[in-house]
Amino acid sequence: MKKLKGIAASPGIVMGRALVIGSEDISIPKKTIKESAIPREITRFEDALTKTRAEILNIRDKVTHEIGKEHGDIFNAHLLVIEDRALIEEVINQIKKDRLACDYILSQVLKKYMESFLKIDDEYLRERVSDINDVGRRIMRHLVGTQKMPLAELKEKAVIVAYDLSPSDTAIMHRRNVIGFVTDIGGRTSHTAIMAKSLEIPAVVGIEYATREIKDGDVVIVDGSGGTVIANPSLIEVQKYKQEQTRYDEFNKALKKFKDLPCITADGRRIELSANIELPEEMDSVISHGADGIGLYRTEFLYMNRVDLPDEEEQYHAYKKVVSRMGPRPVIVRTFDLGGDKFLSHLEMPKEMNPFLGWRAIRFCLARPEIFKQQLRAILRASAHGKLRMMYPMISGIAELKEANQLLKECKTELKSKKIAFDEKMEVGAMIEIPSAAITCDILAAEVDFFSIGTNDLIQYALAVDRINEKIAYLYEPAHPAVLRLVKMIIETGHSKKIWVGMCGEMAGDAVLTPVLLGLGLDEISTSPVLLPEIKKIIRLMSYEESQEIARHALTLTTGVDVVHFLKQKREEILKRSRSKK
Ligand code: PEP
Ligand code: MG
């Protein structure tokens, strides 16, 4: 039996067989093939080349059409790699000579090419290494598939154990068959963890040696609430976890009764309790957990796991579906936030040293207005079908906000001239997730109808703690006095400027912090649907006045640890009331 400790990323407890998958960099197995299989192996290689070539051509044309020739031309360099006869011949000759599977030979030949290019004293040629790498990965995908294939098409239930999983990997996990997952790296607010919570898949991340310690086929218990994983558990451990599981199920069952009750304090203050979603498929969970609305629809997931960009029409239908299903309840569609830890396979986004500080979200959108405007038009059109609100991510100052609003205005004019319906009064908001935006939110307020505090990023930027780095996860403290002060300041400033303020980062879903957020005067809380009932329960058990008192005291404390300690005591007191009511 092995007990491994990591970061609790998505609640719930499961037990199942491990499926250990490697990272993309892991070496391809050196598989020998029979003499008679050589022609088949060569055909397999050539088929993969043909498919990859077609894929690149398709992407090149799309990118040229949508972003411009200059960007489409990047893919001509990729075509040169795939059409390189010397490279192709070398792979084919080695298949014949060494009788090894083409995946392995290709990986070796590509490695050799990349190493020799890197040695050349010519910047242009050195830069071709990333083209070779990109094309190589595409061919590999056609040869062996990526991790995405097993995840999407798992035939049996499994607990995935991986070095890392990208948010797009997680997005296509087959709900019924991926029953839990464990990764070596990652943090609680990585989009992989967030996605797991949305799909209700228990997960533990940041266990440094999970892929080394857990073997394929091992029985594993994943405790996504406690952040523990046990490989090959003893009978006693199995019994213990079965009891935990029953307790967890009963806890959730008991919370069900809150589903249809209003989110209102004992003294009558109402707070909007909304859900975060990444995909329209999550709507069932939103409805079944009784959300008042959707406070964050992360639309970038519509752009992932595909070879092209979703056009205006496709986006319009996706947003319309969500808005219509929510009926009169509000839906905040966030314009797409790509970059950071979410990437597109086909859009040439350069590899950056600091992607979370880089070409991300609104920065990308303002640099690519043709792509951005397609989304803005789609959102506007969907606004005709319900109560849709829209917000921009990663606003760092007023200039960006004005520029985005100018593009929105242009889209409105275009739609009007075509007599296409949209909601003229659609509320527009800014996410406050960069310290500069928080500090200047009095200025930003003039351009928007609301703020939504994105604590996942705000915390990482304010405390200089990478949100997906498990090594410094202990420093990632939502209750840090600096964070509480920023939150207070944003709410007070928003209110003084007569706009409402919500919060959609993971901090909003931490029930221990709920009394403080309520007491600071937040108007809306938005988090994963599964977390809503517990938050509602706490809000209903306390008065606004009491929460204000708690917030005041929390703000006098000097460390995040003290704040959490104090809030945990308060939480016990509050929950006792429900027990005494029984
Ligand atoms: C945030 O940063 O808090 C947020 C909600 O946005 P995301 O997690 O998608 O970066
Ligand atoms: Mg963010």
Side-chain angles (χ1 to χ4, degrees):
M1 185 186 91
K2 274 181 204 146
K3 200 166 190 165
L4 309 168
K5 193 81 195 130
I7 298 166
S10 174
I13 300 176
V14 282
M15 185 166 83
R17 294 253 170 223
L19 176 70
V20 183
I21 55 174
S23 75
E24 270 200 304
D25 298 330
I26 216 153
S27 55
I28 314 272
K30 195 173 174 180
K31 221 166 61 199
T32 324
I33 54 169
K34 288 193 190 124
E35 179 100 40
S36 58
I38 290 176
R40 204 175 54 218
E41 199 61 13
I42 294 173
T43 311
R44 194 163 80 88
F45 174 57
E46 286 173 340
D47 280 353
L49 290 182
T50 312
K51 282 186 194 143
T52 310
R53 191 171 179 280
E55 183 183 316
I56 297 174
L57 280 171
N58 186 11
I59 297 167
R60 183 194 64 182
D61 295 347
K62 264 231 107 89
V63 171
T64 305
H65 175 68
E66 281 161 10
I67 325 180
K69 186 169 173 327
E70 160 206 356
H71 292 274
D73 282 349
I74 292 164
F75 293 92
N76 285 333
H78 289 196
L79 285 174
L80 288 182
V81 177
I82 201 151
E83 286 161 0
D84 185 334
R85 279 320 299 174
L87 188 147
I88 297 171
E89 293 299 334
E90 193 169 339
V91 174
I92 293 178
N93 287 338
Q94 280 202 38
I95 296 175
K96 290 181 190 158
K97 187 167 133 281
D98 300 337
R99 283 207 284 114
L100 291 170
C102 64
D103 340 3
Y104 179 77
I105 292 181
L106 177 68
S107 71
Q108 296 303 305
V109 172
L110 288 172
K111 205 164 136 209
K112 195 181 85 184
Y113 266 65
M114 286 193 275
E115 279 167 3
S116 49
F117 269 69
L118 275 175
K119 282 188 202 131
I120 302 173
D121 190 19
D122 177 317
E123 202 181 330
Y124 174 79
L125 285 177
R126 272 202 312 274
E127 277 173 9
R128 301 285 66 77
V129 169
S130 68
D131 294 335
I132 301 175
N133 189 27
D134 202 271
V135 173
R137 281 163 63 158
R138 282 187 198 283
I139 306 173
M140 270 316 165
R141 218 158 28 221
H142 286 294
L143 279 175
V144 287
T146 57
Q147 299 142 351
K148 293 181 178 98
M149 294 311 285
L151 291 188
E153 293 168 12
L154 271 188
K155 298 280 181 292
E156 285 171 15
K157 286 192 190 333
V159 171
I160 303 298
V161 180
Y163 173 73
D164 186 21
L165 289 168
S166 69
S168 53
D169 288 332
T170 321
I172 53 163
M173 278 184 176
H174 199 294
R175 258 196 206 191
R176 271 170 309 162
N177 285 338
V178 177
I179 57 170
F181 74 77
V182 177
T183 58
D184 289 348
I185 65 165
R188 212 173 60 83
T189 60
S190 69
H191 286 97
T192 301
I194 291 169
M195 194 72 212
K197 228 182 277 171
S198 298
L199 297 175
E200 297 177 43
I201 299 174
V204 178
V205 300
I207 297 185
E208 269 179 62
Y209 304 112
T211 49
R212 200 184 69 192
E213 297 293 330
I214 302 172
K215 302 274 168 291
D216 221 26
D218 278 357
V219 171
V220 283
I221 293 172
V222 180
D223 175 3
S225 310
T228 313
V229 175
I230 301 181
N232 299 318
S234 64
L235 260 180
I236 295 175
E237 288 291 340
V238 171
Q239 285 306 335
K240 198 175 127 206
Y241 272 89
K242 280 200 171 143
Q243 281 165 7
E244 274 302 318
Q245 201 170 29
T246 313
R247 243 199 309 271
Y248 181 75
D249 291 345
E250 276 167 5
F251 168 75
N252 279 327
K253 220 161 98 201
L255 286 174
K256 281 252 156 68
K257 69 169 191 239
F258 290 94
K259 174 181 167 279
D260 297 317
L261 296 175
C263 186
I264 193 165
T265 60
D267 54 352
R269 182 177 169 91
R270 204 182 167 107
I271 179 161
E272 207 167 292
L273 194 54
S274 301
N276 292 353
I277 63 163
E278 285 72 38
L279 303 164
E281 290 88 302
E282 292 159 34
M283 291 299 293
D284 286 345
S285 178
V286 172
I287 306 281
S288 71
H289 288 96
D292 291 330
I294 289 176
L296 168 64
Y297 175 7
R298 289 185 167 95
T299 56
E300 56 274 13
F301 280 83
L302 197 64
Y303 291 65
M304 291 152 77
N305 287 322
R306 53 191 295 160
V307 294
D308 54 359
L309 288 168
D311 61 14
E312 180 183 321
E313 207 54 28
E314 180 182 341
Q315 293 189 57
Y316 161 63
H317 286 290
Y319 309 148
K320 179 180 158 194
K321 192 169 156 190
V322 172
V323 173
S324 313
R325 177 106 191 257
M326 286 308 279
R329 289 169 289 190
V331 174
I332 303 181
V333 177
R334 174 177 77 179
T335 60
F336 70 87
D337 177 357
L338 288 163
D341 62 350
K342 290 167 292 194
F343 298 102
L344 300 182
S345 47
H346 57 293
L347 255 195
E348 194 64 18
M349 293 178 91
K351 244 196 163 19
E352 297 176 306
M353 292 290 278
N354 292 301
F356 272 110
L357 299 179
W359 201 38
R360 194 189 150 187
I362 197 74
R363 301 163 180 193
F364 176 89
C365 289
L366 295 178
R368 296 281 173 273
E370 335 70 54
I371 300 179
F372 190 35
K373 282 178 78 177
Q374 287 198 30
Q375 176 170 46
L376 294 178
R377 278 191 302 267
I379 293 173
L380 282 167
R381 286 170 58 192
S383 72
H385 301 277
K387 189 165 179 189
L388 191 151
R389 297 166 174 161
M390 185 192 88
M391 68 182 175
Y392 307 116
M394 292 286 289
I395 292 292
S396 67
I398 188 74
E400 278 171 335
L401 198 47
K402 281 190 171 163
E403 206 179 325
N405 274 343
Q406 175 57 32
L407 292 174
L408 182 67
K409 204 166 142 199
E410 285 171 27
C411 291
K412 286 184 177 176
T413 310
E414 283 163 30
L415 292 180
K416 261 189 214 157
S417 72
K418 289 184 189 153
K419 302 210 171 358
I420 298 176
F422 64 91
D423 175 10
E424 294 262 10
K425 295 204 181 73
M426 179 182 79
E427 283 185 35
V428 175
M431 286 193 71
I432 305 295
E433 50 183 346
I434 298 183
S436 60
I439 294 163
T440 60
C441 66
D442 57 324
I443 304 173
L444 302 182
E447 282 286 316
V448 287
D449 303 298
F450 67 93
F451 290 149
S452 184
I453 310 175
T455 53
N456 302 337
D457 281 315
L458 187 63
I459 295 170
Q460 79 164 340
Y461 300 133
L463 304 184
V465 181
D466 182 346
R467 64 193 265 191
I468 58 173
N469 186 337
E470 70 288 350
K471 294 212 170 47
I472 46 169
Y474 70 99
L475 288 173
Y476 191 96
E477 291 183 287
H480 191 292
V483 177
L484 297 187
R485 287 182 195 189
L486 280 172
V487 170
K488 178 173 185 276
M489 188 182 88
I490 300 164
I491 298 172
E492 282 177 356
T493 310
H495 289 172
S496 75
K497 297 286 176 187
K498 307 268 176 295
I499 64 173
W500 64 268
V501 183
M503 179 183 283
C504 61
E506 293 304 285
M507 181 175 176
D510 185 343
V512 172
L513 301 176
T514 304
V516 174
L517 301 182
L518 179 65
L520 289 177
L522 208 59
D523 302 292
E524 178 231 33
I525 281 180
S526 190
T527 189
S528 305
V530 277
L531 304 175
L532 297 177
E534 193 183 355
I535 293 173
K536 195 190 279 182
K537 177 177 175 177
I538 290 183
I539 292 176
R540 289 179 58 87
L541 281 171
M542 63 190 314
S543 70
Y544 181 46
E545 209 182 322
E546 181 188 12
S547 71
Q548 284 178 306
E549 188 49 48
I550 292 175
R552 261 195 298 274
H553 184 71
L555 276 152
T556 65
L557 301 172
T558 55
T559 69
V561 173
D562 288 347
V563 173
V564 170
H565 180 72
F566 164 66
L567 291 179
K568 281 191 171 161
Q569 277 176 350
K570 283 288 161 198
R571 181 183 139 100
E572 273 310 301
E573 277 174 34
I574 296 164
L575 289 176
K576 261 190 208 139
R577 291 172 202 158
S578 74
R579 289 196 277 273
S580 61
K581 266 190 192 167
K582 270 186 192 169

